[in-house]
């Protein structure tokens, strides 16, 4: 039976970028972009990936959405496809993206290929979460999420490998988005919206061929066990967002918040999903440490996805009580670029700079710079 | 030679079964003569002499073949192999696959050497002991260290032996329990982390600076403390970039009370140019099976020559080959020794080859080896970076490299989907064996580490560069051709994983039969 590929193109993605609007979220912005002469870019980018798919995958069933959301692109390239929904207005909105994702899920697609930006990723994530693997064609103004291929052609290649290699690894990858209004004012306020499963193409880790190399999963367990074994008595641990930090709570058999900050003391849960106020109230004058992990490919340890760990919390904690954990693969993906902080507070940022003993496995330490 | 013409290479494809499948019951390669009655009368039945408890219950299930069948089988296999003597083996970086003069093989195959036994009385082995002693003397001069032993069966064991000495040194000073951390760098050979870790040290790895490719002084300062036992470092690192701050780094560690251990497995760019002593090392090791010409095909036979400064000499593993002015002897009377890291005295054949190599070159010749290696490497780098599309050499972009370079095919992968593994397999179609990608961790994406040492001619380096150029061109014009390579080899593309999954790997006939339910 042919594998099913779900195709969602967000045709308006990226339109704000070329005309200097730093994004296309919201109807007002879209109107403004159109007035400034913005053209649809995502359909062309989607076609590059689809052309590769047409030439390299023989048996594939494409399920898509009407008009520029995938149908037109397939027709232009002569690709067999099935339209599984409808749109009511020429200018589509996030609701259409969400509806399309819902239909894809109902039709049991094996993989969703979408063209868009962080907003599109976020909309799809809100519907499918980690239920269906996805891969994004980067076509938006904002590409902070780790669910995108590096270019449209590579998105096509990843689809090919996914359908041809039954052993292709899937990784939970961050869906990030920034508040566009804040961004237009020059302030980057990124939030972690969730995780989607993405087919992982080997690039920065060794293949099994050479043997003996830890997989990220084994490293994760080693990191978590090492952190747990070294937890100090009577000390509060603020455990930041993400899949790396989640493992600590899992190994402690405690409930966790993937996107929030959980507080643990003496290996027992104090509070899930704590906000800044909770944190300041609980830690008060007690000893506490922060455990964070960098955002894959970007390297931010503060200021992206963990705003609860505010400048006030960070200053009370001090750099020496910040524990950075990461899989070796995530560090390698930074290509020797330093870890980053952007708390919005110069003093806190300055305090956090310097070298960290990053825990990358059980009793394994990388010394890495943060700037 | 003029313009390089690429070969129309095609390897033999025999589809040869494994030898157990060729077996026919009753066939024999050698028929042993009947034992003379006279011997049987005197000694008795051979079967009866062997104690019952050491006898097998069942006959060994060995393959049964005649001599010509065995010969054909192994010759066919040899034709399906690309050995060091048949291909331009520039690709195996960090391994120094250099030509080993064939006269060395005559030495090691001479019965005077090959029939020696390590348990022979010293009186009868003066010749080989003299060679071991003199090789140690030569290495002392080459490195500036004060004593050498050859016991380690490879680089990793030599680093372990050095880590053991480090432990003994701090323990003797009453700091064994306190100094528990060692520091290394990400582009040092991974054994610099692994071997001390096996010895019980906690390992701290300094990551490279974004620009230079080696760690900053500040990174080192941020972790050096009174817990630091030592620094295990390779210089030049795997990138081929010489760390110009090495002396400063060593001084920082010394000031904190730690020792410095240099990994000089790849000495090919250093002979006569810089010594371990001048870099400030307290201990070091050479791989005789790399830079000193002894071949190391199929992971052996290896020999890690371990060198230390005077104040650490008492800790060396026993025995040490010594000379009392009249005769050479094996000195076991060393109460502070860490003991043994391996049986006997080392892979002596590798020592003999290394000795021949050093004395035949002399001091000037050794320096020329390094100068040629560096020249060859930078010539190849210039060609690859200016003529081959899709390749780059991350870090220290304006600097020359030492004896090797860690390149990246990342751009090629981005633009064509063809990655380093595909290029590696396609090179086989032009008569090259696989190239070395990288030690872990893979900090350089889609890596490739060639090492054109002094034994390659300019024409060979040119041929190698032309092959890379051709494969890159193919990747841009017809990526499928490269991704489905090799096409001219004895076997075609094998998917890996999953076939390399340790769960499914079968490496012996006995396990194969068991898993397949064959009697």
């Amino acid at each position: 039976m042919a594998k099913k590929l779900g195709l969602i193109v967000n045709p308006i993605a990226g339109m704000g970028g070329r005309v200097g609007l730093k994004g296309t979220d919201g109807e007002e912005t879209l109107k403004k972009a159109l007035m400034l002469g913005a053209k649809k870019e995502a359909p062309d980018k989607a076609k590059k990936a689809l052309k590769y798919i047409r030439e390299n995958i023989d048996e594939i069933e494409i399920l898509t959405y009407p008009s520029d959301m995938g149908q037109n692109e397939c027709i232009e390239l002569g690709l067999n496809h099935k339209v599984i929904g409808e749109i009511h207005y020429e200018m589509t909105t996030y609701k259409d993206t969400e509806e399309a994702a819902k239909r894809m899920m109902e039709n049991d697609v094996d993989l969703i290929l979408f063209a868009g930006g962080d907003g599109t990723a976020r909309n799809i994530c809100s519907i499918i979460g980690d239920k269906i693997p996805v891969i994004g064609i980067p076509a938006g103004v904002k590409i902070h999420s780790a669910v995108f291929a590096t270019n449209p052609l590579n998105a096509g290649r990843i689809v090919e490998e996914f359908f041809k290699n039954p052993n292709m690894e899937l990784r939970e990858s961050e869906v990030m988005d920034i508040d566009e209004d804040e961004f237009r004012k020059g302030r980057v306020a990124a939030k972690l919206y969730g995780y989607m499963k993405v087919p992982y193409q080997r690039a920065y880790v060794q293949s099994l061929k050479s043997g003996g190399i830890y997989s990220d999963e084994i490293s994760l367990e080693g990191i978590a066990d090492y952190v747990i074994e070294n937890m100090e008595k009577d000390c509060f641990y603020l455990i930041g967002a993400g899949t790396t930090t989640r493992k600590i709570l899992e190994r402690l058999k405690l409930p966790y918040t993937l996107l929030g900050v959980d507080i643990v003391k003496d290996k027992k849960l104090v509070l899930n999903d704590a906000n800044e106020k909770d944190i300041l109230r609980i830690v008060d004058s007690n000893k506490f440490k922060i455990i964070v992990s960098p955002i894959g490919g970007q390297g931010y340890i503060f200021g992206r996805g963990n705003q609860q760990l505010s400048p006030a919390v960070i200053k009370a904690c001090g750099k020496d009580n910040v524990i950075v954990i990461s899989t070796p693969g995530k560090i390698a993906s930074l290509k020797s670029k330093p870890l980053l902080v952007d708390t919005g507070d110069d003093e806190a940022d300055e305090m956090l700079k310097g070298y960290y003993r990053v825990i990358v496995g059980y009793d394994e330490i990388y010394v890495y710079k943060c700037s | 030679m003029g313009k390089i013409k690429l070969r129309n290479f095609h390897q033999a494809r025999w589809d040869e079964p494994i030898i157990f499948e060729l077996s026919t019951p009753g066939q024999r390669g050698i028929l042993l003569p009947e034992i003379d009655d006279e011997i049987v009368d005197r000694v008795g039945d051979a079967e009866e002499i062997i104690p019952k408890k050491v006898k097998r219950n069942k006959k060994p299930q060995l393959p049964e073949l005649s001599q010509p069948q065995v010969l054909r089988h192994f010759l066919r296999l040899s034709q399906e192999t690309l050995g060091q003597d048949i291909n331009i083996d520039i690709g195996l970086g960090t391994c120094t696959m250099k030509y080993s003069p064939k006269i060395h093989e005559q030495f090691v195959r001479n019965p005077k050497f090959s029939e020696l036994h390590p348990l022979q009385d010293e009186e009868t082995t003066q010749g080989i002991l003299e060679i071991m002693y003199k090789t140690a003397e030569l290495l002392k001069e080459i490195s500036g260290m004060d004593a050498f032993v050859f016991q380690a069966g490879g680089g990793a064991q030599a680093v372990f032996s050095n880590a053991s000495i480090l432990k003994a040194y701090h323990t003797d000073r009453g700091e064994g329990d306190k100094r528990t951390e060692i520091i290394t760098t990400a582009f040092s050979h991974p054994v610099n982390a692994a071997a001390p870790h096996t010895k019980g040290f906690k390992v701290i790895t300094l990551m490279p600076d974004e620009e230079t490719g080696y760690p900053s002084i500040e990174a080192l300062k941020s972790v050096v403390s009174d817990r630091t036992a030592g620094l295990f470092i390779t210089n030049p690192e795997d990138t081929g970039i010489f760390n110009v701050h090495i002396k400063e780094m060593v001084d920082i560690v010394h000031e904190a009370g730690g020792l410095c251990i240099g990994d000089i497995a790849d000495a090919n760019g250093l002979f006569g140019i810089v010594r371990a002593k001048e870099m400030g090392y307290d201990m070091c090791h050479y791989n005789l099976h790399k830079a000193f010409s002894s071949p190391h095909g199929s992971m052996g036979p290896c020999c890690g020559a371990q060198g230390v400064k005077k104040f650490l000499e008492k800790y060396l593993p026993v025995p040490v080959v010594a000379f009392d002015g009249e005769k050479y002897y094996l000195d076991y009377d060393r109460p502070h020794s860490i003991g043994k890291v391996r049986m006997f005295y080392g892979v002596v054949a590798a020592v003999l080859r290394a000795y021949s190599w050093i004395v035949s070159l002399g001091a000037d010749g050794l320096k020329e080896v390094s100068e040629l290696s560096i020249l060859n490497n930078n010539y190849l780098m210039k060609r690859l970076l200016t003529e081959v599309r899709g390749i780059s050499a991350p870090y220290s972009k304006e600097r020359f490299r030492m004896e090797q370079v860690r390149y990246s095919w990342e751009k090629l992968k981005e633009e064509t989907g063809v990655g380093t593994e595909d290029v590696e397999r396609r090179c086989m179609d032009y008569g090259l064996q696989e190239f070395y990608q990288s030690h872990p961790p893979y900090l350089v994406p889609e890596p490739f580490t060639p090492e054109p040492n002094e034994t390659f001619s300019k024409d060979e380096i040119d041929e190698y560069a032309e092959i890379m150029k051709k494969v890159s061109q193919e990747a841009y014009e017809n990526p499928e051709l490269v991704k489905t390579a090799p096409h001219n080899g004895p076997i075609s593309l094998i998917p890996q994983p999953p076939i390399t999954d340790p769960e499914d790997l079968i490496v012996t006939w006995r396990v194969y039969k068991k898993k397949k339910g064959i009697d």
Side-chain angles (χ1 to χ4, degrees), chain A residues 9-213:
Chain A
V9 180
N10 173 7
I12 62 162
M15 286 176 72
R18 198 58 69 85
V19 291
L21 290 178
K22 300 182 179 177
T24 330
D25 289 354
E27 281 181 40
E28 282 305 308
T29 314
L30 178 60
K31 277 184 196 160
K32 205 168 169 188
L34 286 167
M35 275 169 60
L36 288 166
K39 299 261 182 308
K40 287 179 181 176
E41 294 183 5
D44 281 343
K45 288 180 176 163
K47 275 187 273 180
K48 280 187 189 166
L50 289 169
K51 193 161 173 279
Y52 183 87
I53 290 167
R54 184 186 68 187
E55 283 159 14
N56 291 282
I57 311 178
D58 296 332
E59 282 193 32
I60 192 165
E61 188 183 340
I62 298 177
L63 306 183
T64 190
Y65 232 54
S67 186
D68 277 351
M69 285 191 74
Q71 182 186 23
N72 289 350
E73 290 85 346
C74 287
I75 292 171
E76 246 183 84
L77 293 169
L79 276 164
N80 283 331
H81 62 281
K82 188 174 152 193
V83 177
I84 54 168
E86 51 194 43
I87 52 175
H88 304 288
Y89 303 100
E90 194 195 342
M91 277 301 163
T92 54
T93 69
Y94 73 93
K95 285 182 185 153
D96 294 299
T97 306
E98 289 181 356
E99 188 58 29
K102 207 170 147 197
R103 294 285 176 94
M104 302 283 166
M105 199 155 68
E106 286 164 4
N107 280 275
D108 292 328
V109 297
D110 297 289
L111 175 74
I112 292 178
L113 172 70
F114 74 92
D118 284 332
T120 320
R122 192 177 136 190
N123 300 148
I124 294 174
C125 181
S126 71
I127 301 298
I128 65 161
D130 61 357
K131 293 191 187 78
I132 303 172
V134 300
I135 183 68
I137 300 164
V141 180
K142 301 163 292 164
I143 303 288
H144 298 91
S145 304
V147 297
F148 293 97
T150 47
N151 59 43
L153 208 54
N154 278 337
R157 291 188 184 115
I158 290 169
V159 172
E160 180 194 15
E161 196 176 336
F162 178 82
F163 284 122
K164 289 183 178 173
N165 176 7
N167 296 296
M168 195 172 188
E169 191 185 338
L170 295 175
R171 288 200 171 185
E172 288 176 281
S173 307
E174 294 96 341
V175 176
M176 310 275 298
D177 199 6
I178 56 169
D179 184 317
E180 285 188 11
D181 289 336
E182 289 288 315
F183 191 36
R184 287 188 193 100
K185 289 178 205 155
R187 161 101 184 95
V188 179
K191 201 177 159 199
L192 181 61
Y193 281 91
Y195 285 81
M196 289 202 282
K197 279 191 179 151
V198 176
Y200 178 69
Q201 231 188 4
R202 191 194 72 79
Y204 304 114
V205 294
Q206 205 163 11
S207 69
L208 272 173
K209 191 168 100 176
S210 307
I213 307 304

Side-chain angles (χ1 to χ4, degrees), chain A residues 157 226 335-336 355 365 367, chain B residues 202 205 216 395 410 416 496:
Chain A
R157 291 188 184 115
Y226 186 72
K335 297 185 189 175
S336 302
Y355 288 88
I365 309 287
V367 179
Chain B
K202 183 187 181 81
T205 305
S216 67
Y395 307 114
E410 185 184 28
T416 69
Q496 41 181 318

Side-chain angles (χ1 to χ4, degrees), chain B residues 429-454:
Chain B
D429 287 335
Y430 293 99
L432 298 181
Q433 73 141 311
E434 64 161 5
F435 58 62
Y436 189 67
Q437 293 181 18
S438 171
H439 283 125
Y442 269 32
L443 297 178
V444 171
E446 299 300 328
F448 157 49
T449 314
E451 184 183 1
N453 60 56
E454 80 283 0

Side-chain angles (χ1 to χ4, degrees), chain B residues 94 96 236-237 240 266-269 373-374 377 401-405 450-453:
Chain B
T94 90
T96 319
E237 296 187 332
D266 279 335
N268 234 40
S373 297
I374 295 168
N377 185 43
R401 303 290 170 106
M402 297 294 280
E403 85 297 352
Q404 65 178 32
V405 181
E451 184 183 1
N453 60 56

Side-chain angles (χ1 to χ4, degrees), chain B residues 247 341-342 498:
Chain B
K247 190 70 175 69
V341 290
R342 192 172 188 269

